[in-house]
Amino acid sequence: MGIRNSAKAIIINSGKVLLTKNQDKEGYFYLCPGGGQEHGETLHDTLKRECIEEVGYQIEIGELLHIREYIGKNHEYTAFDFNVHQVEYYFVCELKDENNYIEPNTPDSHQVGIEWVHIDHLLQYRLYPKEIRRYIVKFVNNEKSPVYLGDVN
């Protein structure tokens, strides 16, 4: 199985971050909007498409903030992620127009909605990858963080 690229948006507004809300047998979990890059598609095009599909907003893409790898066999969900190797590119993004919301047309299979989560409460949420919570807080507080996060979950 090959390596999959994924583009992710970190959208912060008024001290809150926009996340997709998902549900599995353990309860609710959250993800930054975004998803897999298709053949012939740039990472920016991927991210724009995925944000419309998952959160219903057009975005402006800013700087590349982090790169994270996920090698499934090294983490807690190895039973069903053993063959997964994904490289995720996290970009700082802004909404083009907060008032121009479109009902998400192709949410992910576990997605049950979207939620603006206050940064002050982010560490209490089941957000994947778990490590990204700390780095979002650091970003908001203007603290330096590495771009490459490695194989973290």
Side-chain angles (χ1 to χ4, degrees):
M1 179 168 266
I3 298 172
R4 180 177 186 240
N5 287 332
S6 178
K8 299 286 191 169
I10 297 175
I11 304 168
I12 298 172
N13 190 353
S14 302
K16 296 179 180 178
V17 62
L18 181 59
L19 302 172
T20 64
K21 185 175 184 178
N22 305 271
Q23 189 170 18
D24 64 11
K25 64 182 184 210
E26 297 176 34
Y28 293 118
F29 67 96
Y30 297 82
L31 301 168
C32 290
Q37 184 179 29
E38 295 177 358
H39 182 78
E41 189 176 53
T42 68
L43 286 172
H44 279 195
D45 289 343
T46 298
L47 194 52
K48 289 175 184 176
R49 174 182 52 77
E50 288 284 348
C51 282
I52 290 170
E53 290 176 0
E54 293 182 358
V55 296
Y57 287 105
Q58 292 184 359
I59 57 165
E60 294 284 346
I61 301 173
E63 70 176 302
L64 173 64
L65 192 62
H66 297 297
I67 300 170
R68 173 251 187 167
E69 286 195 78
Y70 176 75
I71 302 172
K73 67 181 181 179
N74 299 334
H75 298 289
E76 63 191 291
Y77 297 109
T78 188
F80 53 87
D81 277 354
F82 186 82
N83 290 321
V84 174
H85 185 170
Q86 182 163 293
V87 180
E88 297 175 344
Y89 299 86
Y90 286 82
F91 292 90
V92 176
C93 299
E94 293 182 4
L95 300 181
K96 271 190 176 179
D97 180 2
E98 289 180 54
N99 299 317
N100 193 10
Y101 173 78
I102 304 161
E103 188 69 33
N105 57 3
T106 47
D108 286 344
S109 60
H110 288 96
Q111 186 176 339
V112 296
I114 63 174
E115 191 171 324
W116 286 97
V117 175
H118 201 285
I119 301 292
D120 292 343
H121 304 140
L122 193 58
L123 294 175
Q124 300 166 18
Y125 280 74
R126 186 175 154 219
L127 171 63
Y128 292 108
K130 295 172 189 172
E131 291 294 315
I132 203 69
R133 298 173 303 177
R134 291 186 312 120
Y135 292 114
I136 292 172
V137 171
K138 284 184 175 200
F139 173 74
V140 168
N141 292 327
N142 295 313
E143 296 177 28
K144 189 91 170 123
S145 294
V147 173
Y148 178 69
L149 305 179
D151 178 21
V152 297
N153 195 24

